[in-house]
Amino acid sequence: MGSLPHIVEDLEGVVQLYSDGSVFRANDVDFNIPIHDDSSIVWRDCQFDNQNHLYLRLYKPVNASTKLPVVYFFHGGGFCVGSRTWPNNHNACLRLASGLQALVVAPDYRLAPEHRLPAAVDDALTSLKWLQARATADGAPAQDTWLHDQAVDFDRVYIMGDSSGGNMAHHLAVQLGPGSPELAPVHIRGYVLMAPFFGGTVRTKSEAEGMPEPILNVEILDRFWRLSLPPGKNADHPLANPFSPFSKKNLESVMFDPVLVIAGEIELLRDRVEDYARRLKEAGKKVEYVEFEGKYHGFFNNDPYSELGDRVLQEIKDWMSKISG
């Protein structure tokens, strides 16, 4: 008789990969995070991918008096965990919708290890194609006041991602190019990468010497890559490392829309994120880097209604105004 399947990878009991390839995924994660709903934002869920049963959540200010810009928000979770329904992500989107006075679109995407990369990036593009379909003359139902071209401005679309969502935003920027012509009439103006989850086989100083964070350490980072990358690949894969030696494109020669990069001063990914922004800026890209003193990974998503959250939103608003003229 063969041995019983045993756990080979364990993400704090939330996701467990067994030796026979089966996956256990907990559905009753205990969050001690209250929902901050002051009734200024209404929200609803829509299915955007019937084949993969994927949904997104729309957030709209109640008292909007002008056409709203569109802000996409891709959640984090190392490509392995997370959902639009998790309270931290829900609160972040409520705050983005009110603080930016925007229609916020928060798509889910397929998670690893059941669906390894590039599945998540593919799903992100599918969610944008969903918006494109509704921006065409006959795409949105006439009764859908949320997505009517008199309610939202499809010429002002911004892509935002936190952690692994920031990685996805980067790949969308590279794939879609300046002005996102393949999404017309949707026009992406720029990308906000909040501590994007990038990797590499060579440790940065902050990864090698930094103190473990309350919910993150280098072992967890490594585990995320083992679970999310194609089997047998390491963190120098182009989907993990934007400057991968195995990439078919020289990133410094690729053209894409403006990027705002945000990081915490003491997070493990800080040096890798700063290096990404610096190298792109040196290559002539329109990249801005903002660092928040004394902050760990996920600082906005975990407390968007704080004074710090207000500062993050102001940085984003100022940047959006600058790049949109």
Side-chain angles (χ1 to χ4, degrees), residues 271-307:
D271 287 358
R272 196 173 295 280
V273 173
E274 190 277 335
D275 178 71
Y276 166 84
R278 177 183 54 78
R279 290 175 66 173
L280 290 186
K281 195 165 188 177
E282 289 175 352
K285 306 293 187 292
K286 295 180 180 178
V287 176
E288 293 189 26
Y289 175 76
V290 179
E291 186 173 293
F292 286 86
E293 183 179 0
K295 297 304 172 186
Y296 289 117
H297 192 68
F299 58 89
F300 173 78
N301 213 49
N302 291 326
D303 197 8
Y305 284 90
S306 64
E307 182 272 337

Side-chain angles (χ1 to χ4, degrees), residues 15-306:
V15 177
Q16 295 173 329
L17 176 64
Y18 284 79
S19 56
D20 64 353
S22 61
V23 176
F24 166 79
R25 186 174 291 275
N27 294 318
D28 57 349
V29 181
D30 183 23
F31 295 99
N32 186 25
I33 302 174
I35 297 298
H36 190 109
D37 189 349
D38 61 5
S39 300
S40 67
I41 303 297
V42 290
W43 58 271
R44 76 180 216 222
D45 290 329
C46 301
Q47 188 171 43
F48 73 90
D49 184 336
N50 296 337
Q51 180 178 348
N52 292 307
H53 308 291
L54 292 173
Y55 287 79
L56 54 78
R57 184 163 288 180
L58 300 174
Y59 299 81
K60 182 171 74 78
V62 171
N63 296 319
S65 58
T66 60
K67 292 175 69 170
L68 298 172
V70 180
V71 174
Y72 264 69
F73 179 81
F74 294 105
H75 68 76
F79 300 107
C80 297
V81 298
S83 167
R84 74 192 190 286
T85 65
W86 281 20
N88 57 336
N89 296 323
H90 186 64
N91 281 339
C93 289
L94 289 169
R95 186 70 185 97
L96 289 169
S98 62
L100 300 178
Q101 283 297 287
L103 179 78
V104 172
V105 184
D108 276 343
Y109 49 88
R110 286 172 292 169
L111 299 174
E114 301 95 322
H115 306 282
R116 292 175 180 262
L117 290 167
V121 180
D122 292 342
D123 295 340
L125 182 59
T126 299
S127 73
L128 287 167
K129 295 283 189 179
W130 175 89
L131 183 70
Q132 180 187 34
R134 277 140 190 83
T136 58
D138 56 355
Q143 67 273 21
D144 191 346
T145 58
W146 288 46
L147 292 165
H148 194 276
D149 62 5
Q150 296 304 308
V152 295
D153 188 351
F154 294 109
D155 190 54
R156 289 189 296 148
V157 179
Y158 305 86
I159 307 299
M160 182 180 305
D162 177 58
S163 192
S164 54
N167 175 305
M168 293 160 62
H170 158 78
H171 286 290
L172 288 172
V174 172
Q175 181 173 348
L176 293 171
S180 53
E182 72 178 81
L183 294 178
V186 169
H187 180 191
I188 297 175
R189 295 301 188 106
Y191 299 79
V192 180
L193 281 55
M194 304 183 76
F197 179 36
F198 294 138
T201 55
V202 178
R203 296 279 194 221
T204 65
K205 183 177 180 180
S206 62
E207 291 167 348
E209 301 178 12
M211 295 293 292
E213 301 184 35
I215 59 171
L216 203 63
N217 55 51
V218 291
E219 288 76 19
I220 292 176
L221 295 178
D222 290 345
R223 190 171 297 122
F224 279 145
W225 289 127
R226 289 196 301 270
L227 287 168
S228 64
L229 287 169
K233 303 301 181 181
N234 63 32
D236 273 334
H237 189 282
L239 288 166
N241 184 350
F243 302 102
S244 169
F246 307 111
S247 177
K248 296 179 181 178
K249 294 182 179 179
N250 178 356
L251 187 58
E252 278 126 342
S253 66
V254 175
M255 301 300 295
F256 46 84
D257 287 313
V259 177
L260 173 63
V261 182
I262 297 174
E265 178 198 19
I266 57 174
E267 63 175 295
L268 294 173
L269 291 173
R270 183 264 171 202
D271 287 358
R272 196 173 295 280
V273 173
E274 190 277 335
D275 178 71
Y276 166 84
R278 177 183 54 78
R279 290 175 66 173
L280 290 186
K281 195 165 188 177
E282 289 175 352
K285 306 293 187 292
K286 295 180 180 178
V287 176
E288 293 189 26
Y289 175 76
V290 179
E291 186 173 293
F292 286 86
E293 183 179 0
K295 297 304 172 186
Y296 289 117
H297 192 68
F299 58 89
F300 173 78
N301 213 49
N302 291 326
D303 197 8
Y305 284 90
S306 64

